[in-house]
Amino acid sequence: MYKLAVIDIDGTLIDNKGNISEKTKKTILEVTNTGGIVTICTGRNIRKALPVAKKAGITAPIGCIDGAVLVQPQTGNIIEGLELSKSEIDFILSATEGKELFIEVNTGYFYYKFATAEKEYRYDIYNKRTIQGRIKSFLEGIRYIKNWSELKTISAPVYQIVIAGKTNVIEEIKKTIQQGNYNRIDVREHLWERYLFINRKGGNKSSGVERLCHYFGITMNETVTMGDDRNDIDMLEKAGLGIAMGNAKEEIQKAADYITASNEENGVALALEKFFLTK
């Protein structure tokens, strides 16, 4: 009997237009009313995840920034966060100094972004660099920094640093970080090509789901996870039941125990009905 469902957002809970279907909302409520727990674990930061949780009717704590932060959705308060220390942040950023790169520092509520040249903003895939895009980004908590040195002055807790650039530059930075005397730092390069995702160790979705399980007093074997992308693979593999979306690529589907319909075809609702509501 499964007790907890942990669901990715983009490409999973929401459709390609960013909406949650009425069927999915209704099914989440039905699971909750019958004693199950439904929540999300997403690569989004807190500011961008909370509105989705609200629309979905999710009241249980959620995982943000690939599980590096657990948040109470009603208040937006952080329950637990794996923040990087000041010395770790300085060390990571020092490895980027003087190189042609795009850098994103994630504080949970804000993304601070910097590129050494305009062309490097091609790695900022969520902003088309139009006036409308900049306004939308600002309202969503994105701040663009003009000078590299300003990155080191960010005072809020930092939960993730993303670095993108040419393959040889990324490889050099990865090697520098991994050879440093900082054993709490985790560098993931398999999520997107030419990107490094850098967190404290445990800042991944499977660890985030494990901490959610601990919070609820539920085992991983009693947990269902659903996702569609590479950062979901670890939680699909470690949960009692890992479900890939019909729109997921083959490598993600191979990591899952079950494949549901796509995010355009109520895949989340159908999986919840099958594994939580069917007698």
Side-chain angles (χ1 to χ4, degrees):
M1 178 69 178
Y2 297 111
K3 298 180 180 179
L4 171 66
V6 183
I7 306 167
D8 170 52
I9 291 180
D10 296 284
T12 303
L13 180 63
I14 63 175
D15 64 22
N16 295 338
K17 293 182 179 179
N19 300 316
I20 305 172
S21 72
E22 291 304 317
K23 179 177 176 61
T24 298
K25 293 177 188 177
K26 180 182 177 182
T27 307
I28 289 173
L29 181 60
E30 288 178 3
V31 172
T32 302
N33 287 342
T34 55
I37 302 171
V38 181
T39 187
I40 57 180
C41 189
T42 175
R44 293 186 180 203
N45 75 356
I46 299 166
R47 181 189 291 262
K48 292 176 74 68
L50 287 179
V52 180
K54 183 177 180 180
K55 287 179 183 178
I58 291 171
T59 58
I62 65 175
C64 301
I65 316 174
D66 286 342
V69 181
L70 302 186
V71 181
Q72 177 54 253
Q74 291 99 329
T75 62
N77 291 337
I78 294 173
I79 298 169
E80 177 187 335
L82 302 178
E83 62 185 83
L84 292 160
S85 69
K86 183 66 168 64
S87 62
E88 288 167 340
I89 296 166
D90 288 345
F91 169 67
I92 294 164
L93 292 176
S94 293
T96 71
E97 188 171 8
K99 298 178 174 62
E100 293 186 354
L101 294 165
F102 168 74
I103 302 169
E104 176 185 277
V105 176
N106 191 337
T107 67
Y109 294 95
F110 290 91
Y111 295 99
Y112 292 90
K113 303 189 180 192
F114 168 79
T116 50
E118 182 64 30
K119 65 178 182 178
E120 304 306 327
Y121 277 115
R122 67 184 182 273
Y123 297 108
D124 185 14
I125 61 174
Y126 294 112
N127 190 342
K128 296 181 180 179
R129 306 291 288 166
T130 62
I131 293 175
Q132 292 86 349
R134 287 171 184 263
I135 293 172
K136 185 174 184 289
S137 293
F138 184 85
L139 295 174
E140 291 181 347
I142 293 173
R143 302 292 183 264
Y144 287 94
I145 290 177
K146 294 183 178 180
N147 300 307
W148 175 88
S149 60
E150 291 180 50
L151 291 170
K152 288 193 171 186
T153 67
I154 297 170
S155 58
V158 171
Y159 298 101
Q160 184 179 75
I161 297 175
V162 178
I163 301 169
K166 292 181 179 178
T167 302
N168 62 317
V169 179
I170 289 299
E171 282 295 317
E172 181 184 346
I173 292 170
K174 181 189 72 173
K175 188 178 294 184
T176 298
I177 294 171
Q178 290 179 334
Q179 290 176 347
N181 189 28
Y182 289 87
N183 56 15
R184 296 197 319 167
I185 296 176
D186 186 25
V187 181
R188 294 178 294 163
E189 59 177 324
H190 63 282
L191 303 183
W192 294 349
E193 187 178 355
R194 297 184 181 179
Y195 288 78
L196 297 177
F197 289 76
I198 306 168
N199 302 73
R200 274 260 313 274
K201 286 192 184 300
N204 55 62
K205 288 196 175 183
S206 64
S207 294
V209 173
E210 286 176 343
R211 295 199 307 280
L212 284 168
C213 285
H214 179 75
Y215 179 90
F216 295 120
I218 292 171
T219 68
M220 286 291 278
N221 286 336
E222 296 171 308
T223 303
V224 173
T225 55
M226 301 187 212
D228 74 305
D229 212 341
R230 286 181 175 178
N231 63 335
D232 299 312
I233 289 177
D234 60 341
M235 75 171 184
L236 295 180
E237 292 178 333
K238 290 193 177 182
L241 180 71
I243 300 176
M245 303 301 292
N247 50 289
K249 292 181 179 178
E250 185 178 358
E251 65 175 308
I252 288 83
Q253 293 187 353
K254 283 183 176 180
D257 303 299
Y258 179 82
I259 300 169
T260 187
S262 76
N263 64 321
E264 290 285 299
E265 302 168 313
N266 292 311
V268 165
L270 294 174
L272 289 175
E273 286 177 345
K274 180 176 179 65
F275 295 105
F276 285 84
L277 299 176
T278 302
K279 299 293 184 181

